[in-house]
Amino acid sequence: MREHPQNQINVWMPGSTIGILGGGQLGRMMILEGRKMGYRFVTLDPSPDCPGGQAADRHITAGFEDVEAARLLAEESDLITYEFENAEDTVVEMLESSASLPQGSRLLRLTRHRIREKRALEGAGIPVAPYRKVTDPGVFREAVNSLGFPCVLKTTTGGYDGKGQWVFRSWGEVEAFHGPEPEREYILEKWVPFVKEISVIVARSVRGEVKAFPPAWNTHRRQILHQSVVPAPVEPSVLERADALARRVAEKLDVVGLIAVEMFLLEDGTLYVNELAPRPHNSGHYTFEACVTSQFEQHIRALCGLPLGSTRLLTPAVMINILGEDTEQFQRRMTDLPPEVKVHWYGKMENRPGRKMGHLTVLGSTLEEALATAERLQGTLPIMNRGVEFSR
Ligand code: AMP
């Protein structure tokens, strides 16, 4: 470590060791980028052969609630980051007080609770979809009454990829619903009739420098991200507002590192922020090949006190996720892939439906070309037979 001469900011030089809480594909890709820059990595994850652990210098096999294992991670690392939001409070607090955790714990606590997150966004003057807090069945009905149909009930914590979410279109569906559970807290949101979902990944460094990546247009299948298209085919004024909103989030919430800002674009051009993720994000995987700096490299630069890299788009790109159910057939067709398609494989041992096993990035000299290649793939590979919607 070296102290920055002007403002006493810690600068972590290549050769420093970065500890990562979590060993999934996000950690793996962070490590692959960070090793190019000369950093060393230790991961902590319950699975001994997790994607991140395979790429790290050292792996600690332990549960995320294991404070002693987290202490070992801290001892072996110069600084710590995380690749998922649901770390235990006790572990994060210990890491914050006894190790260097440049991102802090405040943002993590905010973003893993949907109501706290919405309130923080509102406080920062960021528009969000109308919502109500739901604590019991009586409050649930009142909330449905005031927001109207359709609406979506979500658990305030622990949900991801559409898990812990229920959509209601009528009172009949409300009557048939066995819940909400009395001891849990939920949020009921008005269903937003969006025309597109877009996301912007923005980095803010320990030095306060902010840079945003170009917005991606995201489509989901069964509430799991299916593909990201960049540049997002929306009006230039929407791109500018999305960029400004994401920067505002990073600055107002004192973000350090990356934050992914997911937004709904409405017919009239309104943007609502739906969700934040204070880490690298699936919709930013395109940056590996398509931008001067990848999101993973940017995260490391931001934490280590280095100047942020350029986020300039070098080429249009379409990123497509490969899920467990696609894997076998996809691998059989690997030899047919066009040369403008890059494959990322996460090395997961167990292949389950809905599990993200890898992704493809389709490049093109124009967006039309990248989309046409992606569409051709759709005809030959099972992965895209889930019906890619190129316009909505
Ligand atoms: P989330 O876990 O909040 O990101 O939700 C997963 C996906 O469900 C989103 O990407 C949307 O496609 C959809 N969704 C969630 N909340 C809403 C909403 N209030 N209105 C419309 N679509 C939603």
Side-chain angles (χ1 to χ4, degrees):
M1 182 184 82
R2 178 164 71 70
E3 293 234 310
H4 198 265
Q6 282 135 27
N7 41 10
Q8 304 293 302
I9 286 169
N10 292 341
V11 178
W12 301 98
M13 287 294 175
S16 306
T17 300
I18 302 176
I20 308 179
L21 213 46
Q25 66 266 22
L26 299 176
R28 178 188 180 94
M29 289 185 268
M30 201 190 294
I31 294 168
L32 293 176
E33 284 292 77
R35 287 184 81 136
K36 284 202 301 202
M37 299 161 76
Y39 291 95
R40 301 176 65 82
F41 289 89
V42 187
T43 44
L44 186 155
D45 191 280
S47 161
D49 195 28
C50 58
Q54 292 169 20
D57 295 272
R58 180 166 137 63
H59 177 66
I60 299 168
T61 304
F64 297 128
E65 71 301 328
D66 186 336
V67 180
E68 282 318 306
R71 210 182 297 281
L72 186 62
L73 180 75
E75 275 166 23
E76 299 201 5
S77 311
D78 294 304
L79 70 157
I80 308 258
T81 185
Y82 48 82
E83 57 118 52
F84 71 113
E85 286 103 315
N86 293 318
E88 295 281 329
D89 278 338
T90 45
V91 166
V92 177
E93 278 155 20
M94 185 281 289
L95 290 174
E96 191 175 30
S97 63
S98 64
S100 178
L101 185 70
Q103 290 156 282
S105 62
R106 197 184 72 93
L107 193 65
L108 200 57
R109 261 198 298 274
L110 259 185
T111 54
R112 67 164 178 238
H113 190 282
R114 289 183 188 272
I115 291 176
R116 274 188 232 144
E117 179 177 278
K118 287 253 194 299
R119 286 185 183 149
L121 286 166
E122 286 175 312
I126 310 271
V128 298
Y131 70 92
R132 296 281 181 280
K133 181 174 162 179
V134 169
T135 43
D136 63 58
V139 176
F140 173 47
R141 288 167 161 279
E142 277 167 35
V144 173
N145 222 352
S146 73
L147 294 179
F149 294 110
C151 52
V152 52
L153 185 72
K154 303 177 182 178
T155 50
T156 50
T157 57
Y160 66 95
D161 285 346
K163 294 188 178 79
Q165 297 193 12
W166 302 267
V167 177
F168 300 95
R169 293 171 199 81
S170 64
W171 281 111
E173 287 181 354
V174 172
E175 301 302 339
F177 178 61
H178 297 292
E181 287 172 40
E183 297 295 301
R184 284 200 83 162
E185 199 179 66
Y186 299 78
I187 179 170
L188 187 75
E189 289 176 21
K190 195 172 174 62
W191 188 259
V192 177
F194 58 81
V195 286
K196 282 193 170 64
E197 287 186 84
I198 55 182
S199 60
V200 179
I201 293 165
V202 54
R204 184 169 170 274
S205 77
V206 287
R207 299 149 67 133
E209 189 188 5
V210 175
K211 277 197 199 307
F213 286 97
W217 166 37
N218 303 321
T219 46
H220 294 79
R221 292 279 166 274
R222 288 171 282 132
Q223 287 166 305
I224 301 173
L225 181 66
H226 172 53
Q227 73 166 21
S228 299
V229 173
V230 190
V234 296
E235 297 285 321
S237 66
V238 172
L239 294 178
E240 276 165 33
R241 280 187 291 120
D243 176 89
L245 271 182
R247 285 168 189 277
R248 192 180 171 86
V249 168
E251 271 159 9
K252 292 276 181 188
L253 302 189
D254 286 330
V255 171
V256 170
L258 291 184
I259 189 151
V261 184
E262 294 187 67
M263 308 175 199
F264 294 135
L265 171 65
L266 275 63
E267 186 87 60
D268 66 359
T270 303
L271 284 169
Y272 282 132
V273 169
N274 170 42
E275 215 181 11
L276 304 176
R279 53 168 170 76
H281 194 254
N282 196 169
S283 69
H285 291 356
Y286 78 90
T287 58
F288 249 123
E289 288 89 9
C291 290
V292 173
T293 310
S294 75
Q295 61 165 343
F296 302 100
E297 177 181 340
Q298 196 77 306
H299 185 63
I300 292 166
R301 284 174 176 246
L303 299 188
C304 291
L306 303 177
L308 295 181
S310 163
T311 53
R312 183 162 54 88
L313 190 68
L314 299 170
T315 167
V318 179
M319 189 289 308
I320 299 153
N321 272 335
I322 306 171
L323 303 184
E325 59 268 42
D326 305 319
T327 303
E328 209 186 303
Q329 289 200 61
F330 167 72
Q331 288 188 333
R332 264 193 252 129
R333 305 301 297 268
M334 276 279 288
T335 48
D336 299 336
L337 285 179
E340 293 277 288
V341 179
K342 304 291 241 180
V343 180
H344 292 249
W345 205 254
Y346 307 147
K348 293 184 184 174
M349 294 300 139
E350 204 191 326
N351 190 1
R352 285 194 303 270
R355 192 171 196 210
K356 292 171 185 168
M357 303 301 288
H359 72 266
L360 302 177
T361 310
V362 182
L363 304 173
S365 49
T366 60
L367 182 57
E368 289 66 34
E369 200 181 293
L371 284 168
T373 308
E375 229 168 335
R376 267 200 312 282
L377 280 171
Q378 189 186 2
T380 59
L381 291 170
I383 154 191
M384 286 155 233
N385 289 342
R386 286 177 259 148
V388 180
E389 291 166 24
F390 288 112
S391 58
R392 178 139 78 168

